[in-house]
């Protein structure tokens, strides 16, 4: 019976680990339903106009964004572990989709969505989040440079919609060149509408800083009005601009560029392995997949990084199961691909909105889905009149918060060396494609890490006692082969610059900061010992950790001084003659035996 119970407990823990819905479903209350409904509807009001704008950013029909908004977060209800996260179309993922999906073959975005889900699911099942192989591989400066460049690229891509002109461009440099070439064809009505929407959005967002001085019912009423105006600013701008566009139509012509006809109705459930047809070109699933390389790897990895970072931001200090978030994101992309969606990921702005409205569980996503489906059924005729310039304004205002000027200031004040990977990632993304910029930033960041480990700060304390010179060398980091070579060069250079009476008879290397070493480093120390012997100088290692001391003793066949306070060791060395007779040196085995004897005594 005990064995059966333990198996049942293991099975329950396994199910809860992979199905977080089991942790809250049995405790769900009516009050939770109310909070989740408010959060889900509020997010939907922001998500609907954003989804159309992100589809436009990806160079796709608005339906791809609307399908992603409706069905992207359904599976997160079951598999998601962070209640604040909302899954749907995201800015960076839309930008990457634009880079890899051919506008002439828009349904390849569905294939990209499905394959992204498969890659994310495999990463989660392989527990890559637990091993931190994927999640912790990109540093914050690299991510900051990448997102800042992505914000500029996305805002640049929307300038053509803002000014009512049309051109094709892929990277940021080409966008600005084409804008300058076509700016003389700008449309006054679209430009005025877009700029007006931007000013209104900025004004509505600034209402958050207003403090209500009233008390009682008035305070609650004013706070509710301010909350609705700030959270529903996107919807308000889109609705008002659509009304203006509707009444500005004369003889079937509008002075504004409109979104156009959007098909209504719920999409049919379709497996992604069937054949596809775009503009009289038929292709199979694998033919479409071949045209998406390397986006089939880049898009899911970037989606994982962004979603897990959002999960960590709202974890409340708790440990985030990154592998489970990968599994949840994978199922979200797989299911939404069955409904004809573009790739989806976690959104920081919508998750923050979800958190602000007091969401209780991941069940809030069902209300976002219901409202999105109702929009597809009944509101698509009204979406025809949305001006593209207003959608561009919504997207430009949404991505401005992604520019990490705060990180630049912080890095300048704390560690300016980290500005190197930040700047590399930022500039490379603007000049080349975003995935190449991210790769360059990671490579430069790794080189900076290697450089720091190979060039530790080294302090040298010099003591002279009755003509006997002793140096104490203290490196600040690990004893790996690049650092040992740097330490050797530093010691030899210091000795070369010293006059004969000031040259050391003994050099003590304090190994207290060494947590690891390797064979090449040990050989480097051996070369240093032989080099110092030719200068009538002896090298001693002390305060080495057990694992380091074992390797050094085995490789160099030398004795490592015991772990004693450094000042006591210096006092002991004050009575040592150059031949070091009488030094109380013990091997690691001797130290252990001495401790055992003292304990028995």
């Amino acid at each position: 019976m005990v064995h059966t119970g333990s198996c049942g407990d293991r099975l329950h823990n396994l199910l809860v680990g992979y199905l977080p819905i089991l942790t809250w479903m049995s405790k769900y209350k009516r009050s939770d339903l109310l909070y989740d409904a408010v959060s889900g509807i509020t997010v939907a009001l922001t998500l609907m106009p954003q989804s159309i704008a992100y589809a436009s950013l990806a160079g796709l029909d608005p339906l791809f964004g609307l399908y992603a908004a409706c069905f992207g977060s359904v599976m997160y209800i079951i598999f998601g572990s962070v209640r604040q996260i909302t899954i749907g179309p995201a800015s960076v993922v839309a930008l990457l989709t634009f880079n890899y999906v051919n506008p002439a073959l828009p349904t390849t975005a569905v294939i990209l969505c499905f394959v992204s889900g498969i890659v994310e699911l495999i990463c989660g099942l392989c527990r890559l989040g637990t091993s931190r192989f994927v999640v912790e591989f990109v540093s914050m400066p690299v991510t900051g440079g990448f997102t800042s460049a992505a914000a500029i690229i996305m805002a640049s891509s929307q300038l053509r919609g803002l000014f009512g002109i049309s051109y094709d461009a892929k990277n940021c440099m080409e966008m600005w060149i084409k804008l300058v070439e076509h700016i003389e064809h700008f449309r006054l009505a679209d430009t005025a509408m877009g700029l007006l929407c931007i000013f209104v959005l900025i004004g509505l967002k600034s209402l958050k800083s207003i403090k209500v001085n009233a008390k009682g019912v008035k305070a609650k009423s004013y706070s509710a009005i301010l909350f609705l105006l700030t959270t529903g600013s996107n919807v308000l701008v889109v609705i008002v601009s659509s009304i203006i566009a509707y009444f500005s139509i004369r003889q079937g012509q509008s002075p504004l560029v409109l979104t156009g006809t959007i098909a209504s109705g719920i999409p049919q459930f379709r497996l992604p392995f069937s054949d596809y047809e775009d503009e009289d070109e038929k292709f199979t699933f694998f033919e479409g997949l071949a045209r998406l390389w390397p986006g089939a790897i880049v898009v899911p990895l970037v989606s994982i990084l962004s979603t897990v970072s959002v999960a960590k931001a709202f974890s409340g200090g708790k440990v985030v199961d990154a592998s489970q978030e990968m599994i949840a994101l994978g199922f979200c992309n797989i299911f939404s691909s069955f409904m004809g969606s573009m790739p989806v990921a976690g959104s920081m702005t919508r998750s923050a909105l979800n958190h602000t409205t007091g969401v209780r569980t991941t069940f809030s996503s069902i209300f976002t889905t219901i409202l999105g489906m109702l929009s597809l059924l009944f509101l698509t005729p009204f979406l025809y009149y949305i001006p593209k310039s207003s959608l561009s304004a919504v997207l430009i205002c949404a991505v401005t918060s992604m520019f990490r000027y705060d990180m630049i200031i912080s890095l300048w004040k704390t560690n300016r060396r980290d500005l190197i990977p930040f700047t590399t990632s930022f500039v490379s993304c603007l000049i080349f494609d975003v995935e190449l910029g991210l790769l360059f930033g990671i490579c430069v960041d790794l080189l900076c890490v290697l450089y720091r480990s190979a060039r530790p700060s080294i302090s040298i304390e010099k003591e002279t006692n009755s003509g006997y010179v002793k140096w104490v060398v203290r490196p600040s980091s690990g004893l790996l082969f690049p650092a040992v070579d740097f330490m050797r060069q530093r010691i030899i250079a210091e000795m070369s610059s010293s006059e004969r009476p000031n040259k050391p008879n003994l050099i003590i290397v304090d190994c207290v900061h060494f947590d690891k070493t390797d064979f090449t480093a040990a050989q480097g120390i051996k070369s240093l010992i032989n080099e110092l012997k030719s200068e009538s100088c002896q090298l001693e290692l002390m305060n080495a950790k057990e694992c380091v001391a074992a390797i050094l003793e085995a490789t160099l066949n030398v004795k490592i001084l015991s772990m004693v306070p450094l000042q006591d060791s210096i006092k002991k060395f004050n009575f040592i003659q150059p031949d070091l007779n009488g030094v109380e040196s013990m091997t690691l085995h001797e130290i252990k035996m001495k401790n055992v004897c003292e304990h028995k005594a």
Side-chain angles (χ1 to χ4, degrees):
M1 295 296 291
V2 175
H3 178 73
T4 305
S6 62
C7 289
D9 292 339
R10 287 198 295 269
L11 179 61
H12 177 266
N13 293 334
L14 181 66
L15 289 175
V16 170
Y18 284 101
L19 299 172
I21 188 176
L22 299 177
T23 60
W24 57 263
M25 186 172 60
S26 59
K27 308 173 186 176
Y28 201 72
K29 302 175 183 178
R30 290 184 178 180
S31 58
D32 298 331
L33 182 65
L34 177 61
Y35 278 96
D36 286 344
V38 172
S39 299
I41 294 172
T42 305
V43 169
L45 293 177
T46 301
L47 179 57
M48 288 304 131
Q50 277 189 354
S51 63
I52 300 174
Y54 289 147
S56 174
L57 173 62
L60 300 172
D61 187 272
L63 278 177
F64 288 92
L66 290 172
Y67 293 162
C70 289
F71 307 105
S73 59
V74 172
M75 301 305 291
Y76 196 82
I77 299 173
I78 302 172
F79 298 98
S81 60
V82 181
R83 68 179 187 275
Q84 291 92 344
I85 286 187
T86 61
I87 305 294
S91 53
V92 176
V93 177
L95 179 62
L96 292 173
T97 303
F98 172 73
N99 287 342
Y100 293 111
V101 173
N102 187 345
L105 304 173
T107 53
T108 53
V110 179
I111 299 176
L112 181 59
C113 181
F114 176 76
V115 175
S116 297
I118 294 296
V119 173
E120 291 154 358
L121 183 60
I122 291 174
C123 290
L125 293 176
C126 293
R127 313 305 293 176
L128 294 186
T130 304
S131 64
R132 298 184 180 182
F133 178 76
V134 175
V135 180
E136 303 293 342
F137 195 64
V138 184
S139 68
M140 291 300 295
V142 174
T143 305
F146 170 75
T147 54
S148 299
I152 293 178
I153 294 171
M154 285 184 283
S156 301
S157 69
Q158 296 304 302
L159 292 178
R160 58 184 176 182
L162 191 71
F163 293 111
I165 54 182
S166 179
Y167 54 83
D168 294 326
K170 278 292 183 181
N171 56 47
C172 189
M173 300 291 290
E174 189 179 358
M175 290 174 188
W176 282 96
I177 293 172
K178 291 290 184 69
L179 176 65
V180 173
E181 292 176 353
H182 293 79
I183 193 63
E184 60 183 12
H185 303 296
F186 80 99
R187 299 166 62 99
L188 182 60
D190 289 282
T191 305
M193 175 64 75
L195 294 177
L196 180 61
C197 290
I198 289 176
F199 291 141
V200 171
L201 286 169
I202 294 174
L204 291 176
K205 296 293 184 183
S206 65
L207 294 178
K208 292 181 180 179
S209 59
I210 296 179
K211 295 182 179 180
V212 180
N213 295 324
K215 297 181 180 180
V217 179
K218 285 187 176 181
K220 293 182 179 179
S221 301
Y222 293 155
S223 299
I225 293 172
L226 291 176
F227 177 77
L228 290 175
L229 288 175
T230 53
T231 57
S233 57
N234 292 339
V235 177
L236 183 63
V237 165
V238 169
I239 290 175
V240 173
S241 62
S242 300
I243 294 173
I244 295 173
Y246 176 78
F247 286 105
S248 65
I249 295 177
R250 295 291 183 272
Q251 298 178 352
Q253 298 294 324
S254 173
L256 300 167
V257 179
L258 304 180
T259 300
T261 304
I262 299 177
S264 61
I266 306 300
Q268 293 182 350
F269 187 88
R270 174 181 173 177
L271 294 176
F273 293 105
S274 55
D275 293 340
Y276 295 84
E277 182 175 357
D278 279 324
E279 295 185 0
D280 300 329
E281 182 177 353
K282 294 183 179 180
F283 56 93
T284 63
F285 172 83
F286 292 102
E287 289 174 346
L289 179 61
R291 304 183 187 191
L292 295 172
W293 183 259
I297 300 298
V298 175
V299 172
L301 292 182
V302 173
S303 300
I304 287 172
L305 289 173
S306 61
T307 303
V308 173
S309 64
V310 173
K312 288 183 177 180
F314 294 100
S315 63
K318 299 179 181 178
V319 177
V320 175
D321 189 351
S323 297
Q324 182 59 34
E325 290 302 307
M326 295 177 190
I327 293 173
L329 183 61
F331 277 117
C332 288
N333 272 291
I334 291 172
F335 179 77
S336 57
S337 70
F338 295 158
M339 310 304 294
S341 161
M342 61 187 286
V344 296
S347 168
M348 178 64 78
T349 54
R350 295 195 299 269
S351 299
L353 179 60
N354 219 12
H355 176 72
T356 303
T357 52
V359 64
R360 296 290 178 86
T361 66
T362 55
F363 191 67
S364 64
S365 297
I366 198 66
F367 296 99
T368 305
T369 300
I370 292 173
L371 199 60
M373 293 173 67
L374 292 176
S375 300
L376 287 172
L377 288 171
F378 304 110
L379 298 181
T380 49
F382 302 100
L383 301 179
Y384 175 92
Y385 300 100
I386 298 177
K388 287 188 175 181
S389 56
S390 65
L391 292 176
S392 297
V394 168
L395 190 55
I396 290 172
C397 291
V399 301
T400 50
S401 60
M402 292 175 57
F403 190 84
R404 299 301 306 274
Y405 62 89
D406 57 326
M407 181 180 288
I408 297 174
I409 297 173
S410 179
L411 292 177
W412 181 263
K413 292 180 178 179
T414 56
N415 189 1
R416 297 180 184 179
R417 187 178 294 175
D418 282 336
L419 285 172
I420 297 174
F422 181 97
T423 306
T424 303
S425 178
F426 177 76
V427 175
S428 300
C429 287
L430 293 180
I431 297 177
F432 309 105
D433 292 332
V434 287
E435 64 275 9
L436 283 178
L438 182 61
L439 180 61
F440 289 157
I442 292 173
C443 292
V444 170
D445 192 35
L446 291 178
L447 290 176
C448 291
V449 172
L450 291 175
Y451 181 82
R452 285 194 288 267
S453 64
R455 296 292 183 269
S457 60
I458 297 176
S459 64
I460 299 178
E461 296 180 7
K462 303 177 182 179
E463 269 192 43
T464 304
N465 187 3
S466 301
Y468 182 69
V469 182
K470 176 174 74 272
W471 290 2
V472 179
V473 180
R474 293 192 180 93
S476 63
S477 63
L479 193 65
L480 299 174
F481 71 93
V484 168
D485 190 56
F486 177 70
M487 182 181 71
R488 185 188 68 81
Q489 294 176 9
R490 175 72 188 279
I491 292 174
I492 297 301
E494 193 75 20
M495 290 182 65
S496 301
S497 62
S498 300
E499 306 228 349
R500 184 65 190 169
N502 297 325
K503 288 191 175 182
N505 305 104
L506 173 69
I507 295 178
I508 305 171
V509 178
D510 183 15
C511 306
V512 69
H513 295 298
F514 297 165
D515 57 347
K516 59 178 74 69
T517 189
D518 52 32
F519 178 77
T520 308
Q523 292 300 316
I525 294 177
K526 189 173 184 179
S527 300
L528 178 60
I529 292 174
N530 295 332
E531 198 168 352
L532 292 176
K533 279 183 179 179
S534 64
E535 298 287 338
S536 301
C537 179
Q538 180 132 358
L539 179 74
E540 287 285 346
L541 304 174
M542 66 178 301
N543 286 350
K545 290 184 173 64
E546 208 171 297
C547 57
V548 176
I551 296 174
L552 294 177
E553 286 186 353
T555 307
L556 303 178
N557 195 24
V558 298
K559 295 180 180 180
I560 307 298
L561 296 178
S562 60
M563 292 285 290
V564 296
L566 190 59
Q567 295 302 322
D568 295 344
S569 302
I570 293 174
K571 291 178 182 178
K572 187 181 295 184
F573 276 117
N574 283 336
F575 302 98
I576 299 176
Q577 298 301 319
D579 59 358
L580 295 180
N581 290 330
V583 176
E584 186 184 348
S585 299
M586 294 183 291
T587 64
L588 210 65
H589 177 70
E590 292 169 346
I591 295 171
K592 292 179 180 178
M593 292 301 299
K594 179 182 177 182
N595 292 337
V596 171
C597 293
E598 289 177 352
H599 179 69
K600 288 183 178 180

